[in-house]
Amino acid sequence: MFDDVSSLEKISKELKEKIIIRLNSRGGGHYGGSLSVLDILITLYYRVIDLNELKNNKKIRDKIILSKGHASISLYSILHSLELISDKDYESYGIDGSVLSGHPDMVCSDLIEFSTGSLGQGLSAAIGMALILKQYNKQTWTILGDGECQEGQIWEAASLAPRYKLGNVNVILDSNKFQEYGWYKFSHIDMKEPLPNPAEKWRAFGWHVLEVDGHNFNELLTAMRTAQSNTLQPSIIIAHTIKGKGIPQFEKDPFISHCTSLTI
């Protein structure tokens, strides 16, 4: 839809503002993780998948699963910008009875491929879909958080995809290197990176591993095209991102952006 990177950068800036306004209107939310994953989702929706298949609700299509479902506002903001979600529905985000809840719900919208929020489940669902979609030359894309990769189910799924040579399974890891800690205010406890050496771990499970700057659209698109073309093994793109990207206060202190409210 857009032919140059500068247009995607413009979209990113506009959507960051939309996300902040929408979350703030609901008293707060997951600013940090929503902003870190945004450029990944923009690249997927604006450059990689066939939007006509999504708009026409084709059952056989490439599937995008936002496994880190707490960042749903980024997904909704993109779908709204593509005119796939109405103004009314978008503005009702987070209200009881809205089709757009705090986590993606496939029961409420055909645009949502899988209900997520209980971390660790998205990749398993994507592999199940990929087993069927392979015969149609369609792919699945799962967006994981690095904190989410502490879930055992992620690694059970990670061991399965190479076994069946599912080259149509793609993972993008939003590696912002922070997660919510119940003890983060206690200065004597060391804050460990959620998933140290992710490339080494995924490669050991038999995955094709790529690493990029998760806010560089050229790098993201090149990696996604490379992953698409690898039909022999599943691919993971480790996207190194910044939690709270675009908001200096959040970038400086990522812990305050995880699930918070803002003051004016």
Side-chain angles (χ1 to χ4, degrees):
M1 180 177 293
F2 293 91
D3 295 325
D4 60 277
V5 168
S6 62
S7 64
L8 297 184
E9 292 170 346
K10 182 174 182 290
I11 291 166
S12 179
K13 183 177 180 180
E14 292 172 349
L15 291 184
K16 285 184 176 74
E17 182 177 353
K18 286 179 65 170
I19 288 167
I20 292 167
I21 290 172
R22 189 53 47 210
L23 287 178
N24 193 54
S25 73
R26 294 293 168 260
H30 294 276
Y31 292 93
S34 297
L35 294 172
S36 68
V37 79
L38 179 63
D39 295 334
I40 295 168
L41 290 171
I42 287 173
T43 309
L44 274 174
Y45 277 95
Y46 279 89
R47 287 290 189 87
V48 176
I49 69 166
D50 186 339
L51 282 175
N52 287 324
E53 293 181 348
L54 187 61
K55 290 177 179 179
N56 295 323
N57 195 25
K58 297 287 187 181
K59 299 304 180 184
I60 303 299
R61 65 191 186 213
D62 287 346
K63 307 287 188 178
I64 298 176
I65 296 175
L66 182 62
S67 191
K68 48 170 289 180
H70 52 281
S72 63
I73 188 60
S74 288
L75 173 59
Y76 301 152
S77 296
I78 289 171
L79 294 175
H80 179 247
S81 73
L82 291 169
E83 300 181 349
L84 294 171
I85 288 178
S86 69
D87 292 343
K88 180 181 178 181
D89 284 343
Y90 184 69
E91 290 167 5
S92 73
Y93 162 77
I95 297 175
D96 285 346
S98 171
V99 297
L100 305 181
S101 61
H103 293 85
D105 186 347
M106 62 189 292
V107 175
C108 294
S109 173
D110 290 335
L111 298 168
I112 306 301
E113 308 290 5
F114 187 70
S115 300
T116 57
S118 296
L119 295 175
Q121 299 181 5
L123 181 54
S124 297
I127 288 173
M129 295 175 187
L131 286 165
I132 300 299
L133 292 174
K134 190 174 184 179
Q135 62 186 306
Y136 301 103
N137 295 316
K138 298 297 181 181
Q139 306 202 349
T140 63
W141 297 87
T142 306
I143 297 89
L144 301 176
D146 48 3
E148 179 179 15
C149 288
Q150 295 173 0
E151 297 281 355
Q153 186 172 343
I154 293 293
W155 301 105
E156 293 173 3
S159 69
L160 183 66
R163 179 181 176 186
Y164 286 92
K165 296 181 172 59
L166 294 177
N168 62 331
V169 170
N170 306 292
V171 167
I172 306 175
L173 179 65
D174 178 15
S175 183
N176 62 34
K177 301 171 182 61
F178 285 91
Q179 67 182 117
E180 185 173 26
Y181 291 94
W183 58 81
Y184 79 94
K185 292 184 179 180
F186 298 95
S187 59
H188 65 284
I189 298 179
D190 188 16
M191 297 297 112
K192 301 291 188 182
E193 183 180 338
L195 184 65
N197 305 314
E200 178 183 320
K201 291 178 172 64
W202 284 90
R203 195 173 286 117
F205 273 73
W207 287 63
H208 177 217
V209 177
L210 303 122
E211 292 192 71
V212 300
D213 175 347
H215 302 296
N216 183 307
F217 287 110
N218 277 322
E219 290 188 21
L220 282 167
L221 184 57
T222 298
M224 290 179 192
R225 295 298 189 206
T226 301
Q228 280 182 311
S229 65
N230 185 357
T231 59
L232 299 178
Q233 64 184 141
S235 296
I236 178 167
I237 300 168
I238 298 171
H240 296 285
T241 61
I242 298 172
K243 193 160 188 173
K245 175 66 174 178
I247 309 299
Q249 296 92 327
F250 289 164
E251 292 186 19
K252 182 178 179 181
D253 186 3
F255 288 112
I256 67 171
S257 70
H258 185 89
C259 188
T260 189
S261 57
L262 300 179
T263 57
I264 302 301

